[in-house]
């Protein structure tokens, strides 16, 4: 089923604030016409390039939903690296440029993850109702906008009890990626003392893998980028509190004694390191592969260093290592029911306190927020260390 069009009103819309005020607050007012059309704003791009060069803010309108259509209000939408790559045109799957928003040139809306509230539902909708929270069932929805209209078959309802919008809005990519990689490639045996090792352990996926590993009893080695002094020690303590068995820097991984350390940690090498999760590539990934036990799997889901990983022939011939890849977007689109199950279990862990949020930096998006503020936040995700994942947090529009 193709995504239903977002219809622009064929007449001039007169907008009224929902609540009366002597001095209307242009940042918080929500616009609905007398005919039920909802005003919306979207970040869009009409060509690929750097976010600061190609993103613009577009205002348009949504007609009242009919049949099984839903009108959704965005509550929170993260800024993921894959979203940036799609804007740049470097990601394997790219949203098509269309005229659905009534833009002068065909355009696309970035963003693949978000938490939405159902504002209105067509008379044929049976899966959700007004006030429910939903997330995208498939990738490519385009979530960096205040409102969107979709068929109810394109979203998953989530139980909002005990959750913040940002928690529901960031559950569909990183935790699902970690869950599937820990479960789908090799059967780790907690009772046998099996280990896994991962680089990029401070990332959203890395933190999720640490916490899931703790829940399931898997020991793990968490590799992080070097950080000076107390900053590095603070991060080490933080990851250990999440459940990391050992935390080590990339410099230590590249040192000659890394294999000796791993042997010491794994009961003289009698406990197997059966899985490696790689989002970095290059020499650190190769060094990580060297400490894997025979028959182990190394799963690559990213390449932040943009450097190729060299695989010595001995790893294949004598250790029979298996090198896999994992792309959560493709997996999610092929397994929507399983995605729904995993999302539900992770949200239950959040409610029970067994899963901590990845650190985030909130980017407020009110009706009056300007293009510059939003684009600066997007561009900032490309620059150096960040205190947390950027998340658009939307006002009551």
């Amino acid at each position: 089923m193709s995504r239903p069009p977002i219809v622009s009103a064929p007449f001039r819309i007169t907008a009224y604030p929902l609540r009366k005020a002597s001095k209307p607050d242009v940042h918080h007012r929500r616009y609905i016409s007398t005919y039920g059309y909802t005003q919306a704003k979207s970040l869009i791009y009409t060509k690929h390039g750097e976010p600061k060069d190609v993103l613009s803010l577009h205002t348009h309108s949504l007609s009242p939903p009919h049949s099984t259509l839903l009108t959704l209000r965005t509550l929170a939408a993260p800024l993921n690296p894959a979203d940036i790559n799609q804007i740049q045109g470097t990601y394997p799957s790219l949203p098509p440029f269309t005229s659905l928003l009534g833009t002068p040139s065909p355009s696309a809306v970035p963003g693949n993850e978000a938490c939405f509230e159902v504002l209105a539902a067509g008379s044929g909708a049976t899966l959700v109702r007004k006030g429910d929270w939903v997330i995208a069932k498939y990738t490519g929805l385009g979530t960096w906008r205040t409102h969107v209209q979709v068929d109810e078959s394109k979203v998953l309802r989530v139980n909002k009890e005990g959750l913040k919008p940002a928690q529901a809005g960031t559950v569909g990519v990183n935790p699902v990626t970690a869950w599937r990689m820990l479960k789908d490639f090799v059967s780790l045996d907690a009772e046998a003392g099996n280990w896994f090792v991962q680089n990029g352990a401070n990332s959203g996926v890395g933190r999720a893998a640490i916490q899931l590993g703790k829940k399931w009893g898997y020991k793990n080695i968490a590799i992080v980028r070097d950080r000076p002094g107390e900053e590095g020690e603070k991060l080490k303590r933080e990851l250990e509190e999440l459940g990391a068995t050992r935390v080590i820097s990339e410099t230590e991984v590249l040192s000659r004694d890394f294999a000796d350390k791993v042997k010491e940690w794994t009961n003289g090498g009698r406990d197997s390191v059966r899985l490696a999760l790689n989002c970095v590539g290059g020499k650190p990934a190769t060094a990580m592969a060297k400490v894997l036990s025979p028959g182990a799997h190394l799963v690559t889901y990213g390449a932040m260093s943009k450097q190729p990983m060299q695989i010595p022939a001995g790893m294949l011939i004598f250790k029979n290592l298996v090198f896999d890849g994992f792309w959560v977007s493709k997996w999610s689109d092929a397994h929507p029911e399983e995605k729904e199950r995993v999302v539900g279990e992770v949200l239950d862990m959040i409610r029970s306190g067994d899963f901590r949020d990845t650190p985030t930096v909130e980017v407020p998006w009110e009706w009056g927020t300007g293009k510059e503020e939003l684009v600066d936040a997007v561009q900032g995700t490309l620059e150096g260390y960040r205190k947390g994942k950027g998340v658009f947090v939307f006002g009551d529009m």
Side-chain angles (χ1 to χ4, degrees):
M1 181 183 296
S2 60
R3 188 172 69 185
I6 297 174
V7 183
S8 296
F11 46 79
R12 185 176 183 86
I13 293 176
T14 303
Y16 300 94
L18 283 182
R19 51 184 180 178
K20 297 179 180 180
S22 56
K23 293 183 179 180
D25 185 345
V26 297
H27 286 278
H28 295 87
R29 68 172 63 176
R30 176 177 153 210
Y31 289 85
I32 297 182
S33 78
T34 55
Y35 295 95
Y37 282 76
T38 300
Q39 288 282 78
K41 290 187 178 182
S42 302
L43 278 175
I44 63 166
Y45 57 102
T46 58
K47 62 180 180 180
H48 295 119
E50 290 303 308
K52 62 182 177 62
D53 298 325
V54 300
L55 287 179
S56 60
L57 191 60
H58 174 67
T59 302
H60 53 102
S61 59
L62 306 176
S63 63
H66 61 86
S67 185
T68 55
L69 291 180
L70 308 173
T71 297
L72 308 177
R73 178 172 76 90
T74 316
L75 301 178
L79 286 64
N80 289 317
D83 303 329
I84 309 299
N85 294 153
Q86 287 185 324
I87 297 169
Q88 295 168 327
T90 59
Y91 202 65
S93 64
L94 301 174
F97 294 114
T98 74
S99 299
L100 295 176
L101 298 185
T103 50
S105 300
S107 62
V109 179
N112 289 281
E113 254 191 315
C115 173
F116 305 96
E117 178 187 19
V118 179
L119 279 185
S123 60
T126 60
L127 302 178
V128 298
R129 59 185 180 182
K130 182 178 180 180
D132 283 347
W133 284 9
V134 297
I135 63 173
K137 191 173 185 177
Y138 304 101
T139 57
L141 179 58
T143 59
W144 294 2
R145 48 177 134 196
T146 62
H147 304 79
V148 65
Q149 193 170 90
V150 298
D151 190 87
E152 67 172 354
S153 64
K154 304 295 185 183
V155 297
L156 299 173
R157 179 184 176 275
V158 298
N159 178 5
K160 61 185 177 182
E161 182 180 355
L163 297 176
K164 301 174 183 177
Q167 292 172 324
T170 56
V171 73
V173 173
N174 291 336
V176 174
T177 298
W179 187 298
R180 297 318 327 166
M181 290 194 299
L182 288 174
K183 289 294 188 181
D184 289 353
F185 295 92
V186 63
S187 296
L188 294 175
D189 188 340
E191 293 185 0
N194 287 175
W195 290 64
F196 72 91
V197 57
Q198 64 168 331
N199 52 33
N202 187 39
S203 66
V205 173
R207 287 170 174 264
I210 290 171
Q211 295 179 83
L212 293 173
K214 179 182 179 180
K215 175 180 174 64
W216 297 327
Y218 306 152
K219 298 177 181 178
N220 65 91
I221 302 168
I223 303 168
V224 297
R225 288 189 293 180
D226 293 72
R227 297 194 179 193
E230 178 56 29
E231 185 179 358
E233 289 300 314
K234 180 180 178 181
L235 177 59
K236 179 179 179 180
R237 291 192 298 270
E238 185 178 346
L239 296 184
E240 288 174 342
E241 289 175 2
L242 290 180
T245 311
R246 300 286 179 176
V247 181
I248 191 170
S249 70
E250 284 188 356
T251 296
E252 292 173 289
V253 169
L254 295 172
S255 67
R256 293 183 177 180
D257 62 349
F258 176 51
D260 292 333
K261 289 182 179 179
V262 173
K263 184 176 181 180
E264 177 186 343
W265 297 337
T266 57
N267 193 24
R270 289 183 287 274
D271 297 339
S272 298
V273 184
R274 301 197 59 210
L275 179 68
L277 310 180
N278 169 45
C279 67
V280 175
K283 292 181 179 179
T286 304
M288 186 170 63
K290 289 179 180 179
V291 301
L292 292 175
S293 301
H297 286 240
L298 185 147
V299 184
T300 293
Y301 67 98
M304 291 191 297
S305 71
K306 298 182 180 179
Q307 297 298 317
M309 180 176 63
Q310 296 183 348
I311 304 173
M315 290 187 184
L316 303 174
I317 299 171
F318 305 117
K319 296 185 72 175
N320 194 30
L321 298 186
V322 181
F323 293 83
D324 305 282
F326 182 75
W327 185 14
V328 71
S329 298
K330 185 175 182 179
W331 181 90
S332 295
D333 289 346
H335 303 88
E337 292 80 13
E338 183 65 9
K339 174 184 176 179
E340 183 174 13
R341 185 189 69 81
V342 172
V343 164
E345 293 202 31
V346 173
L347 292 179
D348 284 342
M349 289 178 63
I350 293 174
R351 293 187 189 94
S352 65
D354 294 328
F355 193 97
R356 297 189 200 173
D357 303 343
T358 297
T360 59
V361 176
E362 294 189 355
V363 181
W365 186 336
E366 304 288 350
W367 184 260
T369 303
K371 165 199 164 185
E372 293 75 14
E373 298 170 65
L374 301 175
V375 173
D376 285 349
V378 175
Q379 191 67 33
T381 63
L382 301 173
E383 299 169 0
Y385 287 111
R386 303 185 302 277
K387 294 181 180 180
K389 175 189 287 291
V391 178
F392 288 128
V393 177
F394 295 78
D396 185 14
M397 291 182 276

